[in-house]
Amino acid sequence: MKATRGLMLISILLPMMGAARAQDRPIGFLTPSKNIACQFFTDNGQANDRGVLRCDIMNMDARPRRPADCDLDYGHAFEMSAKGAAGRICAGDTVMDASLPVLAYGEIWQRGGFTCRSEQSGLTCFNAMQRGFSLARGKQEVF
């Protein structure tokens, strides 16, 4: 009887564990060149549960000068909230993850109020307020 109850519990919990793992996977994409990676994050548990989109560009023709108040890497990471301004951020990590799916040229990715379009000339992402950034090896712009 105990063995049967244990097997029933395992058969109930195992699919739930798989679903939890699936939700832990990063949400985002890579560009076809694999030079840009973006990930979407939420502030779970917050009253407004707003999202944040961060995109990192690995190779650039030139990096901007690091601000004096930044002790980490600067120039490669861009971030914006769903309804706020976009900008470069000081970051000691990366959102580059080889397991992210590729967003093919000409395709659009949308999530949590963000829209990104992958093109051969680069990646453009913006939020509901039409604030965002365009990223390419030769030039990065915040708007």
Side-chain angles (χ1 to χ4, degrees):
M1 183 72 170
K2 283 184 183 179
T4 305
R5 195 173 333 157
L7 287 174
M8 276 182 42
L9 187 58
I10 288 172
S11 68
I12 292 169
L13 291 177
L14 204 54
M16 292 169 66
M17 289 170 54
R21 265 192 233 114
Q23 292 172 353
D24 289 343
R25 281 187 274 169
I27 299 168
F29 60 87
L30 296 169
T31 57
S33 67
K34 309 240 181 356
N35 190 38
I36 302 170
C38 296
Q39 286 193 39
F40 172 78
F41 302 95
T42 58
D43 298 327
N44 291 324
Q46 298 296 322
N48 59 7
D49 199 29
R50 298 281 182 217
V52 172
L53 181 69
R54 175 171 163 189
C55 296
D56 290 1
I57 182 166
M58 305 315 291
N59 298 303
M60 299 180 290
D61 289 346
R63 284 195 187 258
R65 185 180 202 128
R66 184 173 60 190
D69 64 347
C70 177
D71 292 330
L72 303 170
D73 290 332
Y74 183 78
H76 74 284
F78 294 77
E79 190 173 87
M80 67 178 144
S81 61
K83 292 189 176 177
R88 287 186 198 258
I89 61 169
C90 181
D93 61 355
T94 183
V95 295
M96 183 56 71
D97 185 329
S99 73
L100 291 168
V102 171
L103 181 64
Y105 295 134
E107 288 189 356
I108 293 174
W109 178 92
Q110 293 182 306
R111 183 82 177 231
F114 299 103
T115 301
C116 295
R117 181 176 179 87
S118 173
E119 298 174 319
Q120 286 186 334
S121 59
L123 177 76
T124 301
C125 295
F126 57 90
N127 62 17
M129 307 302 289
Q130 301 301 306
R131 307 288 297 269
F133 40 77
S134 291
L135 307 178
R137 185 181 308 266
K139 185 177 185 181
Q140 303 83 48
E141 290 183 303
V142 175
F143 55 87

mmCIF file of all heavy atoms in Angstrom, residues 89-123:
data_model
loop_
_atom_site.group_PDB
_atom_site.id
_atom_site.type_symbol
_atom_site.label_atom_id
_atom_site.label_comp_id
_atom_site.label_asym_id
_atom_site.label_seq_id
_atom_site.Cartn_x
_atom_site.Cartn_y
_atom_site.Cartn_z
ATOM 1 N N ILE A 89 23.915 50.198 -19.533
ATOM 2 C CA ILE A 89 24.058 49.973 -18.094
ATOM 3 C C ILE A 89 25.461 49.469 -17.766
ATOM 4 O O ILE A 89 26.144 48.899 -18.617
ATOM 5 C CB ILE A 89 22.998 48.981 -17.555
ATOM 6 C CG1 ILE A 89 23.130 47.606 -18.225
ATOM 7 C CG2 ILE A 89 21.595 49.553 -17.716
ATOM 8 C CD1 ILE A 89 22.313 46.517 -17.558
ATOM 9 N N CYS A 90 25.854 49.695 -16.557
ATOM 10 C CA CYS A 90 27.100 49.181 -15.998
ATOM 11 C C CYS A 90 26.792 47.753 -15.538
ATOM 12 O O CYS A 90 25.876 47.545 -14.739
ATOM 13 C CB CYS A 90 27.487 50.083 -14.826
ATOM 14 S SG CYS A 90 29.015 49.646 -14.010
ATOM 15 N N ALA A 91 27.507 46.763 -16.043
ATOM 16 C CA ALA A 91 27.175 45.372 -15.726
ATOM 17 C C ALA A 91 28.421 44.504 -15.647
ATOM 18 O O ALA A 91 29.316 44.628 -16.483
ATOM 19 C CB ALA A 91 26.232 44.808 -16.785
ATOM 20 N N GLY A 92 28.437 43.631 -14.677
ATOM 21 C CA GLY A 92 29.543 42.692 -14.532
ATOM 22 C C GLY A 92 29.175 41.299 -14.974
ATOM 23 O O GLY A 92 29.902 40.340 -14.712
ATOM 24 N N ASP A 93 28.028 41.168 -15.638
ATOM 25 C CA ASP A 93 27.562 39.860 -16.104
ATOM 26 C C ASP A 93 27.093 40.006 -17.545
ATOM 27 O O ASP A 93 27.293 41.035 -18.168
ATOM 28 C CB ASP A 93 26.443 39.343 -15.201
ATOM 29 C CG ASP A 93 25.225 40.274 -15.195
ATOM 30 O OD1 ASP A 93 25.280 41.361 -15.813
ATOM 31 O OD2 ASP A 93 24.207 39.922 -14.576
ATOM 32 N N THR A 94 26.460 38.973 -18.046
ATOM 33 C CA THR A 94 25.935 39.008 -19.412
ATOM 34 C C THR A 94 24.652 38.196 -19.484
ATOM 35 O O THR A 94 24.443 37.289 -18.670
ATOM 36 C CB THR A 94 26.962 38.461 -20.430
ATOM 37 O OG1 THR A 94 26.414 38.584 -21.748
ATOM 38 C CG2 THR A 94 27.308 37.007 -20.165
ATOM 39 N N VAL A 95 23.799 38.531 -20.448
ATOM 40 C CA VAL A 95 22.600 37.727 -20.702
ATOM 41 C C VAL A 95 22.821 36.773 -21.871
ATOM 42 O O VAL A 95 21.901 36.087 -22.301
ATOM 43 C CB VAL A 95 21.342 38.607 -20.946
ATOM 44 C CG1 VAL A 95 20.982 39.396 -19.696
ATOM 45 C CG2 VAL A 95 21.516 39.509 -22.148
ATOM 46 N N MET A 96 24.050 36.718 -22.369
ATOM 47 C CA MET A 96 24.373 35.791 -23.457
ATOM 48 C C MET A 96 24.177 34.368 -22.947
ATOM 49 O O MET A 96 24.716 33.982 -21.915
ATOM 50 C CB MET A 96 25.817 35.999 -23.914
ATOM 51 C CG MET A 96 26.236 35.141 -25.087
ATOM 52 S SD MET A 96 25.219 35.286 -26.567
ATOM 53 C CE MET A 96 25.649 36.912 -27.146
ATOM 54 N N ASP A 97 23.376 33.607 -23.672
ATOM 55 C CA ASP A 97 23.068 32.231 -23.290
ATOM 56 C C ASP A 97 22.837 31.443 -24.579
ATOM 57 O O ASP A 97 21.885 31.707 -25.306
ATOM 58 C CB ASP A 97 21.827 32.198 -22.397
ATOM 59 C CG ASP A 97 21.505 30.828 -21.852
ATOM 60 O OD1 ASP A 97 21.788 29.806 -22.532
ATOM 61 O OD2 ASP A 97 20.951 30.748 -20.743
ATOM 62 N N ALA A 98 23.693 30.489 -24.836
ATOM 63 C CA ALA A 98 23.626 29.708 -26.075
ATOM 64 C C ALA A 98 22.330 28.908 -26.209
ATOM 65 O O ALA A 98 21.969 28.499 -27.307
ATOM 66 C CB ALA A 98 24.832 28.777 -26.174
ATOM 67 N N SER A 99 21.599 28.710 -25.106
ATOM 68 C CA SER A 99 20.352 27.936 -25.168
ATOM 69 C C SER A 99 19.161 28.770 -25.646
ATOM 70 O O SER A 99 18.094 28.220 -25.894
ATOM 71 C CB SER A 99 20.034 27.329 -23.799
ATOM 72 O OG SER A 99 19.600 28.328 -22.889
ATOM 73 N N LEU A 100 19.338 30.070 -25.795
ATOM 74 C CA LEU A 100 18.239 30.914 -26.268
ATOM 75 C C LEU A 100 17.937 30.612 -27.734
ATOM 76 O O LEU A 100 18.845 30.328 -28.508
ATOM 77 C CB LEU A 100 18.605 32.395 -26.121
ATOM 78 C CG LEU A 100 18.696 32.934 -24.700
ATOM 79 C CD1 LEU A 100 19.348 34.312 -24.696
ATOM 80 C CD2 LEU A 100 17.314 32.988 -24.060
ATOM 81 N N PRO A 101 16.674 30.719 -28.136
ATOM 82 C CA PRO A 101 16.339 30.501 -29.549
ATOM 83 C C PRO A 101 16.821 31.671 -30.404
ATOM 84 O O PRO A 101 17.013 32.785 -29.913
ATOM 85 C CB PRO A 101 14.807 30.425 -29.536
ATOM 86 C CG PRO A 101 14.397 31.188 -28.328
ATOM 87 C CD PRO A 101 15.496 30.992 -27.316
ATOM 88 N N VAL A 102 17.009 31.423 -31.686
ATOM 89 C CA VAL A 102 17.450 32.458 -32.626
ATOM 90 C C VAL A 102 16.226 33.156 -33.212
ATOM 91 O O VAL A 102 15.280 32.508 -33.649
ATOM 92 C CB VAL A 102 18.315 31.839 -33.751
ATOM 93 C CG1 VAL A 102 18.590 32.863 -34.850
ATOM 94 C CG2 VAL A 102 19.616 31.309 -33.179
ATOM 95 N N LEU A 103 16.274 34.487 -33.196
ATOM 96 C CA LEU A 103 15.245 35.303 -33.833
ATOM 97 C C LEU A 103 15.747 35.621 -35.242
ATOM 98 O O LEU A 103 16.650 36.443 -35.419
ATOM 99 C CB LEU A 103 15.008 36.592 -33.035
ATOM 100 C CG LEU A 103 13.933 37.537 -33.570
ATOM 101 C CD1 LEU A 103 12.554 36.880 -33.514
ATOM 102 C CD2 LEU A 103 13.949 38.842 -32.786
ATOM 103 N N ALA A 104 15.190 34.950 -36.222
ATOM 104 C CA ALA A 104 15.670 35.062 -37.611
ATOM 105 C C ALA A 104 15.506 36.482 -38.146
ATOM 106 O O ALA A 104 14.648 37.240 -37.682
ATOM 107 C CB ALA A 104 14.915 34.079 -38.499
ATOM 108 N N TYR A 105 16.334 36.839 -39.119
ATOM 109 C CA TYR A 105 16.223 38.139 -39.761
ATOM 110 C C TYR A 105 14.820 38.316 -40.320
ATOM 111 O O TYR A 105 14.256 37.397 -40.922
ATOM 112 C CB TYR A 105 17.250 38.286 -40.883
ATOM 113 C CG TYR A 105 18.680 38.277 -40.400
ATOM 114 C CD1 TYR A 105 19.642 37.506 -41.042
ATOM 115 C CD2 TYR A 105 19.080 39.040 -39.300
ATOM 116 C CE1 TYR A 105 20.970 37.494 -40.617
ATOM 117 C CE2 TYR A 105 20.401 39.036 -38.857
ATOM 118 C CZ TYR A 105 21.335 38.266 -39.515
ATOM 119 O OH TYR A 105 22.643 38.254 -39.086
ATOM 120 N N GLY A 106 14.249 39.489 -40.092
ATOM 121 C CA GLY A 106 12.900 39.772 -40.564
ATOM 122 C C GLY A 106 11.813 39.390 -39.578
ATOM 123 O O GLY A 106 10.647 39.739 -39.776
ATOM 124 N N GLU A 107 12.162 38.685 -38.496
ATOM 125 C CA GLU A 107 11.165 38.263 -37.518
ATOM 126 C C GLU A 107 11.045 39.268 -36.385
ATOM 127 O O GLU A 107 11.976 40.041 -36.099
ATOM 128 C CB GLU A 107 11.502 36.884 -36.957
ATOM 129 C CG GLU A 107 11.276 35.775 -37.956
ATOM 130 C CD GLU A 107 11.389 34.393 -37.333
ATOM 131 O OE1 GLU A 107 11.724 34.287 -36.136
ATOM 132 O OE2 GLU A 107 11.157 33.421 -38.065
ATOM 133 N N ILE A 108 9.900 39.233 -35.719
ATOM 134 C CA ILE A 108 9.605 40.120 -34.593
ATOM 135 C C ILE A 108 9.364 39.271 -33.354
ATOM 136 O O ILE A 108 8.693 38.236 -33.418
ATOM 137 C CB ILE A 108 8.379 40.998 -34.911
ATOM 138 C CG1 ILE A 108 8.718 41.960 -36.046
ATOM 139 C CG2 ILE A 108 7.910 41.759 -33.669
ATOM 140 C CD1 ILE A 108 7.551 42.771 -36.551
ATOM 141 N N TRP A 109 9.899 39.735 -32.226
ATOM 142 C CA TRP A 109 9.701 39.094 -30.917
ATOM 143 C C TRP A 109 8.943 40.077 -30.043
ATOM 144 O O TRP A 109 9.296 41.268 -30.009
ATOM 145 C CB TRP A 109 11.063 38.759 -30.308
ATOM 146 C CG TRP A 109 11.041 38.149 -28.951
ATOM 147 C CD1 TRP A 109 11.014 36.814 -28.651
ATOM 148 C CD2 TRP A 109 11.100 38.820 -27.690
ATOM 149 N NE1 TRP A 109 11.037 36.626 -27.295
ATOM 150 C CE2 TRP A 109 11.084 37.863 -26.681
ATOM 151 C CE3 TRP A 109 11.143 40.171 -27.325
ATOM 152 C CZ2 TRP A 109 11.118 38.171 -25.330
ATOM 153 C CZ3 TRP A 109 11.182 40.500 -25.982
ATOM 154 C CH2 TRP A 109 11.174 39.503 -25.000
ATOM 155 N N GLN A 110 7.889 39.609 -29.350
ATOM 156 C CA GLN A 110 7.124 40.475 -28.455
ATOM 157 C C GLN A 110 6.877 39.772 -27.131
ATOM 158 O O GLN A 110 6.571 38.579 -27.104
ATOM 159 C CB GLN A 110 5.786 40.862 -29.080
ATOM 160 C CG GLN A 110 5.940 41.752 -30.295
ATOM 161 C CD GLN A 110 4.606 42.164 -30.885
ATOM 162 O OE1 GLN A 110 3.777 41.315 -31.182
ATOM 163 N NE2 GLN A 110 4.418 43.471 -31.046
ATOM 164 N N ARG A 111 7.014 40.562 -26.055
ATOM 165 C CA ARG A 111 6.766 40.014 -24.721
ATOM 166 C C ARG A 111 6.668 41.166 -23.730
ATOM 167 O O ARG A 111 7.493 42.070 -23.754
ATOM 168 C CB ARG A 111 7.932 39.088 -24.330
ATOM 169 C CG ARG A 111 7.810 38.393 -23.011
ATOM 170 C CD ARG A 111 6.934 37.165 -23.189
ATOM 171 N NE ARG A 111 6.836 36.413 -21.980
ATOM 172 C CZ ARG A 111 7.062 35.126 -21.880
ATOM 173 N NH1 ARG A 111 7.447 34.441 -22.923
ATOM 174 N NH2 ARG A 111 6.888 34.500 -20.742
ATOM 175 N N GLY A 112 5.664 41.157 -22.867
ATOM 176 C CA GLY A 112 5.570 42.101 -21.759
ATOM 177 C C GLY A 112 5.642 43.572 -22.148
ATOM 178 O O GLY A 112 6.167 44.385 -21.397
ATOM 179 N N GLY A 113 5.116 43.924 -23.307
ATOM 180 C CA GLY A 113 5.141 45.319 -23.745
ATOM 181 C C GLY A 113 6.368 45.707 -24.543
ATOM 182 O O GLY A 113 6.530 46.862 -24.920
ATOM 183 N N PHE A 114 7.244 44.743 -24.821
ATOM 184 C CA PHE A 114 8.453 44.999 -25.615
ATOM 185 C C PHE A 114 8.295 44.397 -27.006
ATOM 186 O O PHE A 114 7.691 43.338 -27.166
ATOM 187 C CB PHE A 114 9.687 44.373 -24.958
ATOM 188 C CG PHE A 114 9.973 44.914 -23.596
ATOM 189 C CD1 PHE A 114 9.653 44.178 -22.463
ATOM 190 C CD2 PHE A 114 10.562 46.160 -23.434
ATOM 191 C CE1 PHE A 114 9.914 44.674 -21.204
ATOM 192 C CE2 PHE A 114 10.830 46.667 -22.177
ATOM 193 C CZ PHE A 114 10.498 45.925 -21.058
ATOM 194 N N THR A 115 8.883 45.056 -27.982
ATOM 195 C CA THR A 115 8.906 44.558 -29.354
ATOM 196 C C THR A 115 10.338 44.662 -29.867
ATOM 197 O O THR A 115 10.965 45.713 -29.721
ATOM 198 C CB THR A 115 7.970 45.386 -30.264
ATOM 199 O OG1 THR A 115 6.637 45.303 -29.747
ATOM 200 C CG2 THR A 115 7.998 44.869 -31.697
ATOM 201 N N CYS A 116 10.846 43.596 -30.454
ATOM 202 C CA CYS A 116 12.187 43.594 -31.049
ATOM 203 C C CYS A 116 12.088 43.048 -32.462
ATOM 204 O O CYS A 116 11.361 42.083 -32.712
ATOM 205 C CB CYS A 116 13.150 42.711 -30.253
ATOM 206 S SG CYS A 116 13.481 43.304 -28.578
ATOM 207 N N ARG A 117 12.835 43.677 -33.361
ATOM 208 C CA ARG A 117 12.883 43.221 -34.750
ATOM 209 C C ARG A 117 14.326 42.931 -35.117
ATOM 210 O O ARG A 117 15.205 43.770 -34.965
ATOM 211 C CB ARG A 117 12.309 44.265 -35.691
ATOM 212 C CG ARG A 117 12.320 43.807 -37.137
ATOM 213 C CD ARG A 117 11.658 44.816 -38.060
ATOM 214 N NE ARG A 117 11.698 44.361 -39.432
ATOM 215 C CZ ARG A 117 10.797 43.583 -40.014
ATOM 216 N NH1 ARG A 117 9.764 43.172 -39.320
ATOM 217 N NH2 ARG A 117 10.914 43.217 -41.270
ATOM 218 N N SER A 118 14.560 41.723 -35.611
ATOM 219 C CA SER A 118 15.885 41.292 -36.042
ATOM 220 C C SER A 118 16.023 41.541 -37.538
ATOM 221 O O SER A 118 15.164 41.125 -38.324
ATOM 222 C CB SER A 118 16.041 39.794 -35.741
ATOM 223 O OG SER A 118 17.233 39.287 -36.278
ATOM 224 N N GLU A 119 17.071 42.256 -37.930
ATOM 225 C CA GLU A 119 17.350 42.512 -39.338
ATOM 226 C C GLU A 119 18.831 42.288 -39.588
ATOM 227 O O GLU A 119 19.631 42.309 -38.651
ATOM 228 C CB GLU A 119 16.972 43.955 -39.693
ATOM 229 C CG GLU A 119 15.493 44.231 -39.513
ATOM 230 C CD GLU A 119 15.141 45.692 -39.719
ATOM 231 O OE1 GLU A 119 15.897 46.560 -39.249
ATOM 232 O OE2 GLU A 119 14.117 45.947 -40.367
ATOM 233 N N GLN A 120 19.216 42.098 -40.837
ATOM 234 C CA GLN A 120 20.627 41.895 -41.146
ATOM 235 C C GLN A 120 21.465 43.095 -40.724
ATOM 236 O O GLN A 120 22.635 42.947 -40.383
ATOM 237 C CB GLN A 120 20.818 41.605 -42.632
ATOM 238 C CG GLN A 120 20.374 40.215 -43.005
ATOM 239 C CD GLN A 120 20.694 39.864 -44.437
ATOM 240 O OE1 GLN A 120 20.805 40.722 -45.307
ATOM 241 N NE2 GLN A 120 20.848 38.571 -44.690
ATOM 242 N N SER A 121 20.865 44.265 -40.689
ATOM 243 C CA SER A 121 21.588 45.485 -40.300
ATOM 244 C C SER A 121 21.694 45.647 -38.783
ATOM 245 O O SER A 121 22.412 46.521 -38.309
ATOM 246 C CB SER A 121 20.900 46.714 -40.896
ATOM 247 O OG SER A 121 19.553 46.783 -40.445
ATOM 248 N N GLY A 122 20.977 44.819 -38.007
ATOM 249 C CA GLY A 122 21.049 44.899 -36.550
ATOM 250 C C GLY A 122 19.718 44.600 -35.896
ATOM 251 O O GLY A 122 18.793 44.090 -36.530
ATOM 252 N N LEU A 123 19.623 44.935 -34.626
ATOM 253 C CA LEU A 123 18.433 44.652 -33.825
ATOM 254 C C LEU A 123 17.875 45.958 -33.289
ATOM 255 O O LEU A 123 18.637 46.807 -32.801
ATOM 256 C CB LEU A 123 18.808 43.738 -32.647
ATOM 257 C CG LEU A 123 17.673 43.417 -31.682
ATOM 258 C CD1 LEU A 123 16.718 42.386 -32.297
ATOM 259 C CD2 LEU A 123 18.229 42.890 -30.375
#
